[in-house]
Structures are given as structure tokens and as C-alpha cells.
Amino acid sequence: MESKVRVAVIGGSGYTGGELLRLMAIHPKLELTVVTSREYNGKPISLVHPNLKGIISLNFSELNIDKISEKADAVFLGLPHKVSVKYVPDLVERGMRVVDLSADFRLKNPELYKEWYGYEHPYPDLLQKFVYGLPELHSEELKSTKLIASPGCNATATILALAPVVSSKMVDSYQFISDVKVSSSEGGAQPSEGSHHPERQNAIRPYEAEGHRHAAEAEQELSNLAKGRVKVSIVPHAISSVRGALASVHTWADLDDMTVWKNIASFYRGKKFIRIIRGNIHPYPDPKYVIGSNFADIGFATEHRIGRLTIFSAIDNLMKGAAGQAMQAFNLSIGLEEDEGLRLPPLRPA
Amino acid sequence: MESKVRVAVIGGSGYTGGELLRLMAIHPKLELTVVTSREYNGKPISLVHPNLKGIISLNFSELNIDKISEKADAVFLGLPHKVSVKYVPDLVERGMRVVDLSADFRLKNPELYKEWYGYEHPYPDLLQKFVYGLPELHSEELKSTKLIASPGCNATATILALAPVVSSKMVDSYQFISDVKVSSSEGGAQPSEGSHHPERQNAIRPYEAEGHRHAAEAEQELSNLAKGRVKVSIVPHAISSVRGALASVHTWADLDDMTVWKNIASFYRGKKFIRIIRGNIHPYPDPKYVIGSNFADIGFATEHRIGRLTIFSAIDNLMKGAAGQAMQAFNLSIGLEEDEGLRLPPLRPA
Amino acid sequence: MESKVRVAVIGGSGYTGGELLRLMAIHPKLELTVVTSREYNGKPISLVHPNLKGIISLNFSELNIDKISEKADAVFLGLPHKVSVKYVPDLVERGMRVVDLSADFRLKNPELYKEWYGYEHPYPDLLQKFVYGLPELHSEELKSTKLIASPGCNATATILALAPVVSSKMVDSYQFISDVKVSSSEGGAQPSEGSHHPERQNAIRPYEAEGHRHAAEAEQELSNLAKGRVKVSIVPHAISSVRGALASVHTWADLDDMTVWKNIASFYRGKKFIRIIRGNIHPYPDPKYVIGSNFADIGFATEHRIGRLTIFSAIDNLMKGAAGQAMQAFNLSIGLEEDEGLRLPPLRPA
Amino acid sequence: MESKVRVAVIGGSGYTGGELLRLMAIHPKLELTVVTSREYNGKPISLVHPNLKGIISLNFSELNIDKISEKADAVFLGLPHKVSVKYVPDLVERGMRVVDLSADFRLKNPELYKEWYGYEHPYPDLLQKFVYGLPELHSEELKSTKLIASPGCNATATILALAPVVSSKMVDSYQFISDVKVSSSEGGAQPSEGSHHPERQNAIRPYEAEGHRHAAEAEQELSNLAKGRVKVSIVPHAISSVRGALASVHTWADLDDMTVWKNIASFYRGKKFIRIIRGNIHPYPDPKYVIGSNFADIGFATEHRIGRLTIFSAIDNLMKGAAGQAMQAFNLSIGLEEDEGLRLPPLRPA
């Protein structure tokens, strides 16, 4: 009998960590062996993740790389930016498989860490070794890497909307505005004034509207695809759903619907987690219909009168926007089908 | 290679139907062959259930018992009350397995159909042949039946709360008030004034508060368990979640916590879908933490000062309250583990 | 020209404080002169209450009783329990009008503070001087007092439901269960894990289910009315609305509808903020339809089969459950109509 | 004693109608005399608007222009597009004051009705006599008219965002994308599949994304202001709040913050219902903080890296986006202060 891959989760008490655990609990080829949490060390996982009661019986443990490297072959890191970078090099040195869900290894150009994240990246060489974990763009590289930098949620939504546009060269100008509507789980598990229920519920609130960091990775990936400079401005808005994000990516371009459709369909042909939305009853993507799954639904609208093209991209921010995508990329890197353990239909209604 | 059981869904366009389809799509031992809908006959299933796009490629067909009996070994009916009863006898006669999710075969005493549903039941003999599909109470009977009457959601929540109480004889009076808080999906997929979003969102609205029908089946099952007359008054309240129901079942009884806990734990020992909730951080059940799964979370509160006992029961109304439970019962009836295809961890947060 | 009453708000940064400010901003006979906040001392009120931008231009000041007594004739305190009691005696001594929205002066029997709030009340004599600020029960006393202890929200909903029941002697047993569904603003403006949006939204979560403190004041008031011992168990449930609370108060009693209706109607005859709900389209109260107003909607359901009576009481927890009621009581105490400045129709839809 | 203006509401059973009634109930200078509803003729207004129980005791009556002209001096029409136009000419002929909340008299160029609304406007001359009821642009004309065409909600949000931009000539290109997030009450009181609570709650759903009609009136007004052709593409998204709309209006322009701020502040100087939002804690407008009021909160974001300017505009769609604005314009036309009866602070939290 084939042995399972032993996996650890570092930083397993947040929402991304919890979603990784949910996925690992049903993944037929993975065995979860360690979950760390500084705050909850020694406590049952179900204390923090009550949904997992009766499903995962492990306790949280402390972050000890020696122990982790004994018990696991691969590590998923659900740590904040600038924290992940403290542990990743050691894991890499030990030859472990690493899936980092922070931003710390997403950007190839170390200069961008200064510009966007305000720190000098201490391991510029390591940046080159990581593969940006968006399987729709990098499936071949993922199959031959042990190091995955998993994309940000708003970046994922934006890149998936624009990849067919910039790679097909169907537009003249490579400058886009990605107006993103995001649910509250995107902000993480830490309470704050803005996330306090009476303040967040019914909000329609722009935030980080003057330079959202995910633009850096979106521009990196899209410029590579376009073989030219692509500029994207991401403007996120907090709304009152718990899960789901929609990117409405706008640009000035007068294209007929068939051209747009064909380019999107052709770009994503055979991609298991991309669904192209077009029709009468549900003409545009809505994250409501991907909740709980790893799908990204892509659609578009054109307004010829004014020469506008909008590409819509709908994801579950914790799945295709975080844990699901990390698992999809990891599956490829260990030689599995990309949808292994991820064939979860979305919930409806939810 | 072992062949799959071929299943049909009659009435597959509603929420319960859709949830059955979601479960069948991932069930390893079932093959979905027919889904009927009068309204959407000939149309793709994903037109009505956009979550299932790319997952189920069948079209809806018309309700033709001849064709269904050719293509399927078992039928799940997601029809309204009084409609199901028109088709079930024919299916039974053909020797098919039947899982009826309406109320039409839940009650053993035909008189109760007059009293609670306002019609003379045309097949009183058939009522005796159906097993009430609550596996926590009837697992043995389910293993040897082809006919399952799947319980109502508010009845399920109420019965699961009270079963340990009345079977253990820990209270003197068998009279209970089940104050249920229900999400909007419980009302089905048909729009109405009360379900119009601006009216339903933020509502805390009692309904059917003077004789909710699910009391009939709850009293039937609980009286059987208690070997004596149990009376339950169910008072449902519409609130603004989409999924999930909580029953808070109140009675006057002065019991110490350990007694209550032991009776509940003992009654549900080994039951895969029952989780007993007790603790500091999450002291009581909350349907939020069972969303998407077949779990029922059971907990309780005592107030000794006044001699009150409340049992809480939290379910996902479309899963343990409908489709999930139907699948659990069906698994038993075809000789599978009860949790086959149902090992879905709840989503969190959702 | 008639001079206005000068009012101060101590503890004006929370939700109850903010709601008081909203009401004072439109009250024709009050002049808001001081608003204190320890945390926001010196900062503009609209920084904390962005809804009041352009409406109230005061800054928060520190809590200095000397200054307050110079600038104001009356003080509303929006402080936590056990904190209010530190400032109230000084204000009383200076002869100021006091409206305390904490629990510190609601109970007449000082022993109850030990039992329910865990402290020895330092001013037992002062307790007797405060009038419990529920105008539907104490309008005459309110007209001749300067000291008002404003009721708790769950207590208000429970008392308003039961007052006609216990005063009319229409039931035999004076023991009730008040199953309350409460919105998130009831928990105040301080973020916590339970109030974090992703955790609170879609929750149906019992809390303080083994002895909610508001029972103490509810029993005090209802026992007075009944001229006998009334016992009430309050079981609150957090749900995902922002405003509004519904109490469903259950008891065993077999009464015909007309009797119940008459007793309620007779008890509340002429009360400006009580609406009795009975009808076909909207048969029961729903807090959704009192949002933003000081109304309490009262209704009921009977189930004769089982001998159950439920009284429903719907309020906006920040209005009739807090600031609105405080203003109503204060109006009476300064010789105004009780609805002065409170004639705000509820929002719909909201 | 000064007499009140007698007003009628034609089409008073919808949300806009209900909001007009809420405002009229507290307006000191208006007397509501007639409210028509075809569907509810003869029934109490509070049957349809349960919030108004105890506040408005009128019954709905039929739409009879003769009777209305006897009883009222002014008429507000809350009818659908193409229906309003059937009644308005008769009302105009009788010399009545008319406030039409439909689109039927908003556009000056009759050709646009063919293009955007699909019908030949039968009264092109009458179009010229109506004043577009946006008081921030047309206060002088409103003071001398009896005929008001009240703006659409998404148009209002978009125009208020762009008016300072196009009038100040601070941008080069007059082409904008208004990405609007709208609450469910904007869709009106009629249930539909898309408004069914389980479908609408948690949705983030683009709609009418290929030519939203409000662009026509927005372009008309903005082109007038700019004294040149302005083009706006409005892309609305249904989200799950009940009230409130946010327009995020994007364009490519590299401007410093002070310039933008000054132009907005200067344009709106002295406007009672415009609040300019800028700061640390609440840096951008959020419709959450205008709920229940007639305010429009305006703010902006610049991203110099890429040369993007976004103007945000937050309104309560039933107030500044419908009934509140209609009342504001009407106040001006009858010689009152524009905020008469509209000095309602927003609710918080709501």
C-alpha cells in the first residue's frame, strides 16, 4: 500500500490554517501530523476550530522545526507576512516541501519587497526558487518544484480575470482597475474595530484603496504573461458576506462578446477549476455559487456604447483564494491530479 | 468491480433536491441517472443549480415512472407534501427503493394526517411499511427496509434534543417547548413576500407559532422512545441566516449537569453524526459550526435557581435536516456505512 | 423663550452613548453640553460616531464631575456595571438629575447585587431613591423623580411581554421562560472573539444561558405587579442582525385568544410606544419593524392542543432597550410628553 | 396659523412610497391626505408598511385623479417607469405640484427614451418643463418650479461623485466607470428569484452590467456641468445589505490629494446634505453611516504609481437615492429650507 505524504501546518489557528485542516481531513493521500500555534500550544484543535470537532483529534503544538522535520515531509505555512520568512529558509535547507501562504516568497524582484512591504528581503536568492502557486499559469513548474509561494486572494481573482486578456493581446492598453468586493473572512481571525460585527455587517467600505499590495504580484504575473508591462490598480471593498470575493476588472476596450468569450475559453481550456459563466439566468459570476469549493468562475460584460470591457472573477477567498489553491498546487508538486481531495461541489444556498 | 446503485431524484429543482445532487455527485457508491423537474424539463441542471456547473452534466427530465424504473434502482423524492403521495405507491409496487423527503409517509397513525395536514391519507397500510428515517433512532430497521420517510428539519432538531431526555426518564413531565430559530433556506426555493430579501434579512419573526406540523412526528417518535405520551410544542422563528437551525428545547426540571451530560453521552455513544458540545469557549451548540455537514451538535443549559433545563440542538437544515439525513438513512438501507459520502467537515467560517 | 435643559453624557463612545447623542441632536428641549470619554478625550465625537459628522460638533471631554455640574443640569451615564456606581452618588449629592443606563441602581434589594452581580452594593439607601425607568409601569413615579435607573434591554422585552399576563392574573403559574433572540449591537462597541464578524454573522448561539442577569430586574418588576413571586428564566441567543431583540416568553396556560388579547390591550391602553400586533399578514411582532424607533411591539400565540401561551415582545435594543427608553423616562421626569423627541417612525426595510 | 401643504402619494405600497410616507409623517409643513395603491385599495397602510402602524392611520385608496386633485396640492408618484407618464400630464394640466420618482421625466432629450427605455416619449415638450431634482445641482431652478423629476439612486451616487470632478476640469478625459454596490431594497418590494433571501444573501452579483440606464441621466447632468461630452459607464453589483449604495467612480488621472479635496470641498461648500469624508479612522465613505438619513458622503482615493483617481459616494438608496432627495427638492420648490423634515441623523450601528 502506497504511503501517504506527511504534512504539517505551521500557524494553524487562523482561517487559512483552519481551511487547510478541513481539506487535509478529507484528502486521501495526505496525513496530517503536526499543527502549530503559538497561542494555543497544547490545546485541542477543535477548541479553535469547532467545526473540526470529531474530525481532527490532534492538539496544537509549538513551532519546533526539528520536531516538524521528523514528523512531516511537507509544511504549509499560514503565518503573517514577514513572519513566514523567518522559518522558511530553515525548512528549505532541510529539504522539506514548503507551501508558504504568506507574501514572503511571491515576488521575484527583491526590490518590490521594499516598495510594497517595507522591508529588505533577506533571502533574495530563495525568491527565485519558489514557484508562484497559481496552477492555471504554472502547472508545469509546479510539477517539478518543492517550493510553492501561494498567491494572495485578491491577486488570484485579479490575475485569473486578466490572464486571458493580456495573453491574447485582445486589448491595446495594459492598464486595469480591479474593483474587488471582499468578505470578512479575508481579514483573518483576529478581531479588530473594523471587523466588529455591528461595524462590519452592512458595510460597503473601501479599504487600502491607495495601493493595495496584491497589485505587486498581479503585475508580476500578468507582465510575464503579456511579455510587457501590465499595470493593475486593486481597489478592495469590505462587504458583509463571510466568504467569497468578486473582482470586477475594468478597462477601456471595445470588443465583441464572441472575441472575449473565445479568448477566455481558449486560455482556460481543460482547466478543472475554471468555469466560464455566460448565459441568461446567471449571466455573470457570483462568488455565492463557488462557496466551499476551489472553483474560480470567470465572466465578462462589454458596453460598446462607451468601449468598456469588464472581466468578472469570483472565488471563495479561503479556497481558490488561499487553502484550496495551495492544496491544488501542492497536489501537482507531489505528482497527484490537481483536484485530488478538492472535488467538493460548492454549497447552495450558502 | 462492484456496481453502483443507480439513483433518481424526483423533484430536483428545489433546495433539498439540489443538496441531494451535491451529495450524490461525490458519493462513491451511487450513480445519479435521472433528475426530474416539471418546470425545468429538458434544461441543464446547472441552470437551476449554478453551483453544480461542471459537476453534474445531466438535464432535468419529466416525471415518468416507467422511465425512472428502467434507469434507477432507488428514488429520492423532493416533492411537496400531498404531491409525493401520488407517486410513491407506484414506485413501491415496482419494488424500488424509496426515500421520501416529504411528510407523506412519516406518521404511522393515519388519523394524524387529517388533524395536522388536512387530508385523508389514501394509503394507511403503506404508512406502516415506511421507516422513519432518523438513523440515531432507527438504524436497525433502516438496515432492512427499502422504504424510508425522511424526517422534517425542525422535527429532527427537536427529536435529537429530546431523545436522550425522554428515554432516560430523567425528567418527570413529558411536556416540552421547542423554540426553533431557522434559516431562510428552510422555506424552500420558491420566492414569496416573506422571503423577499429586504423583508427577510434582519427579521426575527415567529411563524406557524400556533401548531407547527413537525410536532406530530416529533411526538410520535418521542412517545415511542418514552413508552408514554410525550407532548412537544414547536415554535419556529425565521431569522436571517441562509443555512442552519437551532432548537432550544425548554422544560422545567432541576437536574445537575453531570446527570444530563451522562444521559446524553450514553444515548448517543458511537453515533457518528452526533457531537456533544460542552466547554468553556464554545459552551453551547451553534449551527454555524455544522454548516455543510451532516452533524447534529447537542448541548444543554441548566438553571437551578428556577429549575429549568434547556437542550440545544444545532443542525444544517439542508443536511441533517433534509438531504444529508436522507443519504445517511439510505446508506444504511443499502448496506453501507452510514457516513459513506457524508464525511464532509463543516465550513468555517461560513 | 423657554430655556432648554442642559444635558451631559458620561461614557458617550459606546453604542448606547451614541444612540443617546442621536436622540439629543434632534430633541427640541434638550441642549447637549458635555460628552465624556476616557479613551477619546479631546477627539471629535464624529471620529467615533461617523454617523454624527456634521450633526454634533462637540469634542469628547474627560470625566470631571465639577465641570459637568457647571455645564449640565442632567446626566445620562452610559458606563459599564460597577463603574457607574462610582460616579452616581456624587452627582446625586449635587442635586443633578441622573439617568443611569447601567444595572447599578435597578435593583431595590441590595442582596441581589451580591447574588447576580457579585459585589456588595455600597449605597443600599440610594437604591430606594431610584425609579426603575420603564414608563409603561412607572410613569407616575417618573414624573416626580430626579433619579432614573434605566432598564436592561432583555429585561425590557421580557417585562413588557409579561406585565399584562401577571397583572391580569390570567395564568395560574408565575414561572416563565423568556427565549430571547438578540442582535449584535446589544453586546456593545468593544470587539471580541465572539463579535468578530466572521464568527458572529450567521451564528445562532445561546449565551449566558444558565442565569442571565436581567432576570433579577425582570422578577423584581413582575413580582411587584403580580403582588406575588414571579420567576423568569431568560435564555438569550446571539443572532446575526445588528439591531433588534425578540423575546418569546413561554408558559403553560390554556387561554383563548380573546382573553389574552383583551388583557394585553387593556393593560397597554393609551401607551404611546406599545403596539399590539395581531393580524393575518403580520401575525406576530418582528423587531425588524421597530428599528430606529422607541416602539415595543407585543403579540402572542396560543396552542390549545398542548396548553401553551407565548407572548412575543419586539424592540430595538438600542432604543426601547436602552437610549430611547432612557429618553422617554427622562421626558416624564422633566415634565414633557413622554414621546418628545422620540416620534421617529421605524425604518423599513432596514 | 400657517396652513400645511396637502400632499398625495400615488403608488404608495412600494419601498420608495413607504419611505415617502415615513418622511411625511414627521414633516411639520406637510399634510398627507391620499395614498393610492391599486393592489391594496381600501386596506390600511400599516398592513403593507408595518413600521407605520400607529403613525399613519389612512387607508390606501384607488388612483382617481379627480379626487386627488380635490384633496391635495402636490403629488409624489412612486410608480414604475412608463406608468408614471400616463398620469403626470393630467396632474400637470390641473396645475398641481408634481414630484415624479420614475425615470419618465428625467431626460431632456426625447430620443434618449427610445435608446435607453425602449419607448417613444409621448410628451417631449413636457420633458423641458421638469427640473431634474438634484438640489446640489439645481437648487435655483427647483425654487421656481412645480415639476420635479427625481433622480435615480445609482445616478445620484454617480453624479454626486463626479460633479466636482467635471465642473472643476481637474481631469483631462471625461470618461468614467462607476462601479456601484447596491443593497437589496433598491430592487423594490416585488419578490423575484434573484431577490429570494437564500439567493440574494451573500451574493456579490453584477447585474445590468452592459448598459445600466441610469447612465443616461448621469451623462446628461454631467455633460451640462462639464460643458462638454461626459461618458459614464455604470456597473451595478447586488450585495447583501438591505439599505445603502456605494459608487466607486474610477478614472485615470494623476492628481495630488489636496487638489482633489479642494475641488470637492469648494464645489459642495454650504450643501447641507454633503459630507466630505477624509481622515485616518474612517478614510472613505461607507453607506453604513448614512442609513436612515439624506446625507451623501463623498470621498476619494488616489494611486499615483498608476495614475488612478477614484471618487467614492455613499448614500442611503431610499433616502438621498429616492424619497429623501424627492423631499429635499420639494422643500425648495415650496419655499422651505431644503432640510425641513429631513434633519434625521443616520442610525449607528444599523
Side-chain angles (χ1 to χ4, degrees), chain A residues 227-284:
Chain A
K227 301 189 174 67
R229 185 81 173 91
V230 175
K231 287 183 157 188
V232 188
S233 190
I234 298 181
V235 189
H237 298 74
I239 59 163
S240 53
S241 315
V242 172
R243 273 194 189 226
L246 180 82
S248 309
V249 190
H250 306 291
T251 192
W252 298 118
D254 190 13
L255 294 164
D256 63 290
D257 289 13
M258 189 50 79
T259 301
V260 181
W261 188 85
K262 274 186 177 165
N263 276 313
I264 295 174
S266 144
F267 188 85
Y268 286 125
R269 185 157 301 133
K271 300 299 181 191
K272 288 183 179 176
F273 289 116
I274 304 292
R275 303 190 299 191
I276 302 174
I277 305 300
R278 195 76 186 153
N280 295 317
I281 293 187
H282 298 282
Y284 310 113

Side-chain angles (χ1 to χ4, degrees), chain C residues 107-110 123-131:
Chain C
L107 302 176
K108 294 296 169 199
N109 179 352
Y123 304 95
D125 295 349
L126 203 47
L127 291 179
Q128 313 314 317
K129 297 187 181 153
F130 270 78
V131 175

Side-chain angles (χ1 to χ4, degrees), chain B residues 236-300:
Chain B
H237 299 73
I239 59 164
S240 52
S241 317
V242 172
R243 276 196 186 220
L246 179 82
S248 309
V249 191
H250 305 292
T251 193
W252 298 119
D254 191 12
L255 293 165
D256 64 288
D257 288 14
M258 189 49 80
T259 300
V260 182
W261 188 86
K262 274 187 177 165
N263 277 312
I264 295 175
S266 144
F267 188 85
Y268 286 124
R269 185 155 301 133
K271 300 299 181 192
K272 289 184 178 173
F273 290 116
I274 305 292
R275 303 191 298 191
I276 302 175
I277 306 301
R278 195 76 186 152
N280 294 320
I281 293 187
H282 298 283
Y284 310 113
D286 182 343
K288 186 174 173 71
Y289 301 122
V290 302
I291 296 304
S293 83
N294 200 46
F295 287 113
D297 282 3
I298 309 292
F300 64 94

Side-chain angles (χ1 to χ4, degrees), chain B residues 12-205:
Chain B
S13 66
Y15 289 147
T16 298
E19 192 74 345
L20 284 168
L21 299 181
R22 177 173 81 95
L23 294 175
M24 288 167 180
I26 55 174
H27 197 296
K29 304 292 169 61
L30 303 187
E31 183 192 355
L32 178 68
T33 55
V34 183
V35 184
T36 80
S37 162
R38 203 178 42 182
E39 191 176 354
Y40 297 99
N41 179 20
K43 303 254 172 73
I45 281 172
S46 64
L47 190 82
V48 172
H49 302 298
N51 60 318
L52 299 178
K53 186 177 160 79
I55 294 168
I56 292 181
S57 53
L58 286 174
N59 283 9
F60 287 110
S61 52
E62 58 176 350
L63 199 174
N64 180 315
I65 303 279
D66 285 340
K67 286 188 188 161
I68 290 169
S69 66
E70 274 169 34
K71 291 190 177 170
D73 312 306
V75 177
F76 288 69
L77 294 97
L79 297 173
H81 309 323
K82 299 196 202 177
V83 179
S84 225
V85 74
K86 295 182 191 167
Y87 302 102
V88 163
D90 193 358
L91 295 165
V92 173
E93 214 158 275
R94 290 163 190 254
M96 302 190 75
R97 294 182 173 278
V98 174
V99 184
D100 182 25
L101 285 97
S102 85
D104 285 351
F105 293 90
R106 290 179 196 155
L107 303 176
K108 294 297 169 197
N109 179 352
E111 293 301 311
L112 292 173
Y113 282 96
K114 272 183 238 164
E115 185 183 338
W116 289 90
Y117 289 91
Y119 72 101
E120 184 95 27
H121 199 287
Y123 303 96
D125 294 351
L126 204 46
L127 291 179
Q128 313 314 317
K129 296 185 181 154
F130 270 78
V131 175
Y132 189 75
L134 193 66
E136 284 73 21
L137 299 191
H138 298 290
S139 63
E140 289 311 309
E141 295 142 278
L142 286 166
K143 285 175 189 167
S144 56
T145 189
K146 294 172 79 173
L147 305 180
I148 299 169
S150 204
C153 44
N154 295 340
T156 295
T158 301
I159 296 169
L160 290 175
L162 286 178
V165 176
V166 302
S167 69
S168 68
K169 309 211 174 297
M170 67 177 160
V171 295
D172 296 324
S173 161
Y174 283 3
Q175 193 152 319
F176 305 93
I177 292 166
S178 180
D179 185 304
V180 191
K181 295 86 183 159
V182 306
S183 296
S184 61
S185 61
E186 222 182 274
Q190 200 63 36
S192 71
E193 293 194 12
S195 77
H196 187 49
H197 184 275
E199 299 304 321
R200 175 66 187 247
Q201 183 62 11
N202 301 323
I204 314 177
R205 182 185 304 154

